[in-house]
Amino acid sequence: MANNRILRFHAPDKVFHSVNAITWFALLFTGVYVYFCEPEAACAEATMLAHLILGVVFTFNLLGFIVLAPDRFALILRACLEWDRNTIFWFRNFGGYPRRFFKIPFGPVEVPPQGRYNGGQKASYLLFMGMIAALTVTGWMLWIGAPLLGKAVFLWTFYFHVWGSIIVSVLVVCAHIPLALLSMEHFKGIWRLGPGTISVEAAEHHAPLWFERDVIRTNIEK
């Protein structure tokens, strides 16, 4: 904890997150443009080619993270799957955000202490990870496996791919990004070019159980 800062995001976390975010929205814009705007054939073909290239990058970014940094992938997945009493009780007042930002007295005043991720983050990250995997699989099915799919399966796969990506993107824009900006330390930590550190104060405030169990105790044991 040199200079009162903690390493929260390792290099593989930062690379995967950045490439995933950029390619996600690039895929969204190219897909939505072709599907809803119905451009001329040449323009649609060029846009879909860009969409396919982005899809390859999107796929290998996910596979690279899993294969090259399995410890980081396992740590994130394990943290998202750890649901204890405090995690569940986070939903009684949604982390205090309705009371804090909208003056709505929803649930108890106190927010139960959270671990590496709070209840809302765990639910949303599991959804995001599931959709990243699902959109990767359905994208390749629609591209490479289309001749092997029946008409009904192709249509269901296509509509899931299109509308699933749109719905999750709305959740990202309306919830994930605004809430991420509320903790500027975490936001800068995941996006800055340098080390993915956060301040001790931010760790104690947002993830006190993680700070006590995984930061302080680990340092003591070392």
Side-chain angles (χ1 to χ4, degrees):
M1 292 190 295
N3 300 321
N4 293 322
R5 299 195 68 79
I6 301 168
L7 182 60
R8 169 80 173 193
F9 306 106
H10 292 221
D13 309 338
K14 292 162 65 67
V15 171
F16 170 75
H17 178 271
S18 300
V19 175
N20 184 77
I22 293 169
T23 53
W24 176 287
F25 282 103
L27 285 164
L28 175 70
F29 293 144
T30 52
V32 165
Y33 174 68
V34 172
Y35 184 69
F36 289 101
C37 298
E38 299 181 353
E40 295 181 357
C43 185
E45 184 176 345
T47 304
M48 281 309 301
L49 177 60
H51 190 81
L52 295 175
I53 294 172
L54 288 165
V56 172
V57 176
F58 185 79
T59 299
F60 281 96
N61 181 55
L62 172 62
L63 294 177
F65 185 53
I66 296 173
V67 173
L68 300 178
D71 55 330
R72 300 304 302 170
F73 176 76
L75 183 148
I76 293 171
L77 186 60
R78 183 169 61 250
C80 288
L81 292 174
E82 288 180 346
W83 286 67
D84 55 13
R85 179 186 179 92
N86 287 336
T87 298
I88 296 172
F89 278 15
W90 183 92
F91 292 93
R92 295 198 303 175
N93 61 2
F94 286 97
Y97 292 121
R99 187 184 302 271
R100 179 181 174 188
F101 295 103
F102 303 106
K103 308 304 179 184
I104 300 174
F106 180 81
V109 175
E110 295 297 324
V111 180
Q114 301 294 300
R116 183 178 183 87
Y117 305 121
N118 62 45
Q121 288 174 319
K122 290 179 181 180
S124 61
Y125 292 173
L126 287 173
L127 172 63
F128 295 158
M129 286 190 287
M131 286 302 297
I132 288 170
L135 292 174
T136 300
V137 172
T138 54
W140 283 93
M141 288 174 62
L142 292 169
W143 181 19
I144 304 298
L148 303 177
L149 302 176
K151 182 177 180 180
V153 175
F154 179 88
L155 287 175
W156 279 105
T157 303
F158 176 76
Y159 288 128
F160 174 86
H161 190 80
V162 171
W163 291 104
S165 62
I166 292 174
I167 292 171
V168 173
S169 297
V170 170
L171 293 175
V172 170
V173 172
C174 295
H176 178 63
I177 293 176
L179 291 176
L181 291 172
L182 293 178
S183 177
M184 190 53 63
E185 278 288 307
H186 287 76
F187 182 83
K188 291 187 294 185
I190 193 69
W191 280 105
R192 72 161 61 94
L193 293 177
T197 59
I198 63 173
S199 67
V200 169
E201 292 77 13
E204 288 181 306
H205 176 72
H206 292 283
L209 296 182
W210 170 75
F211 178 74
E212 178 183 350
R213 184 185 68 181
D214 296 334
V215 178
I216 295 178
R217 188 174 301 169
T218 299
N219 285 339
I220 291 174
E221 291 174 353
K222 287 181 179 178

